[in-house]
Amino acid sequence: MKLSRRNFLKGTAALGATSVAPSLSGMNMAHAAGEDYKALVCVFLFGGNDAYNMVIPDDTQAYSDYSAARPSLAIDRQTIVPLNIKTSNNIPLGLHPSMKSLQSIFATEQKATVIVNSGQLVEPIIGRNQDLANYPEFLMAHNLQQTMWQSGAENMNNKLGWAGRMVENMYLPGKLSPLVSLFGEQKWLRNAITDPLVTTSSGAGDYAGLVTSDRVEAMMRHFNAEFVNLFEDNYSSTMASRYYENAQLEEALASVGELTGFPETSLGAQLQTTAKMIKARQNSAMGHRRQVFFVGLGGFDTHNDQLNAHAALLTQVSDAMAAFYNEMKNQGVSDNVTTFTMSDFGRRIMPNATGTDHGWAGHQIIMGGAVKGGRAYGKWPDLKPGSEYDYKNGRLIPEIAADQVNASLAEWFGYDAPLNTLFASLDKFEQKTIPFMVGSLEPEPPVDPEPPVDPEPPVDPEPPVDPEPPVDPEPPVEPPVDPGYPSYVAGTSYKPGDIVVGKDNALYQCKPWPFSGWCSSGGYAPGDSLYWTDAWTKL
């Protein structure tokens, strides 16, 4: 039985609006005066998407390097979906053949783009002395990298997410929270003012047990009671809040009816409900002019059978995102809604039998009417082993920071406080944002240097004095190996900091967690395997 109108009104009057609306003192009043609408939709690909098989170079040399790096996993060049976009170093790009449904949005409408070789950075690394660089913590750890994308590279200790903190700074009235997750509770939406609205892919839930008026009235008495015990009182208030929110959401979604054209998949259902909530934004039960949505899809940790599993996942991503974009056009708000992908990390370029191991850099898709398409953003990296992009045998170093991409989205959304208040790492980057959104400024081109001044004619030097003949140096003495350290034995449970003697008679120290997990594997035998540098440091 649905909540009665009488009880609903009574409940919502007692509860009040659940807006993210702090006191207007000290707030930017321009936010309150405007009637414009914008929405951000994050599509999180859980597990670590192999972005280098999602976006593929369609250039002879670049494709040759790509296929040489992963001969058993490379996508046939003849099947690549052309996008009519090039990177800043002039490499044409295409999509995996399973993503053809996005082609027209890229190539014809030019309302989508690719952020090339992006990932977590706390400072620029490419083009710098990498031995002196600061690297992000917890690389290749699923949960911590997911948290870093949702927090900011140097905001891991903040219990709030960057989207939640962004919304705190903006006056966003509405009876329901403008922060919505259709994929469980997520740090990205956490803020200090209101709880995000966490719902299912179908929208409002069904309280199946409330089938009689007696049960509804009993629940209302429970909601309206005053409890001496603080835990009981807080629990009752929280339950009442969630119940009223669900009723408001049900009313709002019912006002727009069903939307067609979405695939019957997990991500398709989430984006369909997202589209319904956008359409219902002006319903009295919502009243939003800014909304932030989180949707997700798992399964991207493709250590095995990647060719088949990844193709199926990318089909689901492509078809759902294309259907969502078309619905936004139908609603007349495609210029106001920007959709973008995130993932834990990319994958290693070299294959691991039938799959790939955890990597670092990847690519992101940005889609929406306000996207400056017709080009990609960023340089295509050198995929050859030993290049400056190669970190630990095929894990690629990003050149564009995730925080630069996220700052660009926040700026378009209307966040007008300094961007480093959301992303502390931006202080280390000369370029704070990437200009892929309409209204964003392109970086200033480099200024041509002044022409050199002709130097004074050289003065004839004094004739050189013959140097003393060199003295033959003493031959180097190999330092003895400390006999106190044991020889490496595969299968031994090594801990971080353990020192062993390698096959080459040198000393090696087991790296800190999470790399120490590989120290016992013979595939990482110190000095005697292809990937030993992932687990050991040579002393």
Side-chain angles (χ1 to χ4, degrees):
M1 179 180 179
K2 294 182 179 179
L3 179 65
S4 71
R5 184 71 178 169
R6 176 176 175 273
N7 279 328
F8 173 74
L9 291 174
K10 175 184 176 183
T12 52
L15 180 66
T18 60
S19 62
V20 183
S23 168
L24 284 179
S25 59
M27 298 294 293
N28 183 346
M29 295 297 292
H31 285 309
E35 294 296 328
D36 62 315
Y37 172 74
K38 287 183 179 179
L40 289 174
V41 182
C42 173
V43 179
F44 205 103
L45 309 179
F46 285 92
N49 176 40
D50 188 356
Y52 280 88
N53 262 20
M54 178 180 76
V55 177
I56 305 156
D58 197 7
D59 167 87
T60 300
Q61 184 58 55
Y63 182 85
S64 176
D65 293 342
Y66 157 79
S67 59
R70 43 174 50 188
S72 60
L73 290 182
I75 303 301
D76 186 342
R77 188 178 177 188
Q78 301 304 314
T79 68
I80 296 172
V81 178
L83 298 180
N84 197 28
I85 62 174
K86 294 182 179 181
T87 64
S88 59
N89 54 342
N90 212 36
I91 302 297
L93 299 180
L95 286 178
H96 188 285
S98 295
M99 305 187 79
K100 189 171 179 59
S101 52
L102 287 175
Q103 182 180 27
S104 64
I105 304 173
F106 276 93
T108 306
E109 298 188 48
Q110 297 188 351
K111 297 301 183 183
T113 191
V114 174
I115 308 299
V116 179
N117 201 45
S118 63
Q120 294 299 331
L121 289 170
V122 295
E123 67 179 25
I125 295 179
I126 297 300
R128 309 288 180 92
N129 186 333
Q130 296 185 10
D131 293 333
L132 302 178
N134 291 316
Y135 290 79
E137 295 181 306
F138 314 118
L139 291 174
M140 294 159 277
H142 286 293
N143 58 337
L144 295 170
Q145 288 295 287
Q146 292 165 11
T147 299
M148 191 173 288
W149 277 95
Q150 298 184 40
S151 308
E154 290 192 333
N155 300 92
M156 290 281 282
N157 293 329
N158 193 325
K159 65 181 180 179
L160 309 178
W162 71 257
R165 290 184 283 117
M166 171 183 71
V167 164
E168 282 182 30
N169 187 68
M170 306 170 71
Y171 181 75
L172 300 179
K175 292 181 179 178
L176 292 172
S177 173
L179 298 157
V180 183
S181 173
L182 293 95
F183 200 78
E185 197 277 335
Q186 301 293 336
K187 181 178 181 181
W188 188 55
L189 303 175
R190 291 181 204 160
N191 63 92
I193 298 173
T194 187
D195 291 334
L197 176 62
V198 180
T199 187
T200 66
S201 60
S202 58
D206 181 16
Y207 288 85
L210 299 177
V211 295
T212 67
S213 59
D214 289 344
R215 291 187 180 185
V216 173
E217 289 174 4
M219 185 180 67
M220 289 301 165
R221 287 196 300 272
H222 176 79
F223 287 169
N224 293 328
E226 294 184 3
F227 296 91
V228 175
N229 183 286
L230 292 178
F231 176 81
E232 292 177 337
D233 193 59
N234 183 68
Y235 181 81
S236 176
S237 298
T238 301
M239 288 294 295
S241 173
R242 299 300 175 266
Y243 189 81
Y244 296 137
E245 283 179 355
N246 190 73
Q248 289 172 315
L249 179 60
E250 184 178 32
E251 176 184 319
L253 295 181
S255 70
V256 302
E258 291 301 317
L259 302 179
T260 59
F262 285 84
E264 294 182 0
T265 60
S266 171
L267 190 59
Q270 292 175 64
L271 287 175
Q272 182 181 41
T273 299
T274 299
K276 291 175 71 173
M277 295 181 74
I278 290 173
K279 192 170 185 178
R281 67 191 179 277
Q282 293 180 332
N283 182 281
S284 60
M286 299 186 79
H288 290 145
R289 60 180 188 78
R290 288 288 191 279
Q291 291 175 297
V292 180
F293 297 93
F294 186 100
V295 301
L297 181 65
F300 286 88
D301 196 16
T302 49
H303 289 281
N304 301 293
D305 191 30
Q306 177 172 306
L307 285 176
N308 294 317
H310 198 227
L313 290 166
L314 294 181
T315 297
Q316 186 172 170
V317 171
S318 177
D319 291 353
M321 289 182 66
F324 180 74
Y325 174 78
N326 290 330
E327 175 59 30
M328 294 301 97
K329 285 204 302 181
N330 292 339
Q331 293 185 24
V333 293
S334 62
D335 289 353
N336 309 86
V337 180
T338 300
T339 307
F340 57 97
T341 62
M342 289 183 183
S343 190
D344 318 13
F345 36 65
R347 313 292 296 185
R348 182 183 248 161
I349 288 297
M350 284 100 73
N352 170 25
T354 62
T356 49
D357 287 333
H358 299 177
W360 186 356
H363 313 303
Q364 294 173 260
I365 293 176
I366 315 287
M367 179 184 75
V371 171
K372 293 195 292 189
R375 57 180 280 199
Y377 293 83
K379 296 178 183 177
W380 186 262
D382 184 350
L383 303 185
K384 292 189 291 292
S387 79
E388 68 169 331
Y389 294 90
D390 186 5
Y391 175 76
K392 296 188 179 297
N393 303 303
R395 295 183 176 101
L396 296 176
I397 299 174
E399 194 160 11
I400 293 178
D403 284 359
Q404 291 175 297
V405 178
N406 296 336
S408 309
L409 294 167
E411 184 178 63
W412 172 81
F413 192 69
Y415 184 77
D416 56 9
L419 290 170
N420 62 1
T421 60
L422 280 183
F423 307 104
S425 72
L426 292 180
D427 290 337
K428 309 283 181 59
F429 292 86
E430 182 177 348
Q431 185 178 340
K432 312 301 182 187
T433 59
I434 310 299
F436 57 82
M437 299 300 295
V438 170
S440 57
L441 299 177
E442 299 282 345
E444 292 290 332
V447 178
D448 292 334
E450 294 291 329
V453 179
D454 291 336
E456 295 292 328
V459 178
D460 291 335
E462 294 292 327
V465 178
D466 292 336
E468 294 292 328
V471 179
D472 291 336
E474 294 292 326
V477 179
E478 293 290 336
V481 174
D482 190 329
Y485 295 114
S487 296
Y488 174 80
V489 179
T492 303
S493 179
Y494 292 108
K495 298 184 293 296
D498 284 354
I499 298 176
V500 299
V501 179
K503 190 174 181 179
D504 58 354
N505 211 35
L507 292 180
Y508 296 85
Q509 186 172 45
C510 183
K511 289 187 175 182
W513 183 89
F515 309 104
S516 58
W518 294 320
C519 290
S520 63
S521 171
Y524 297 86
D528 190 36
S529 63
L530 183 61
Y531 303 132
W532 70 265
T533 56
D534 290 358
W536 297 90
T537 300
K538 189 172 184 179
L539 300 180

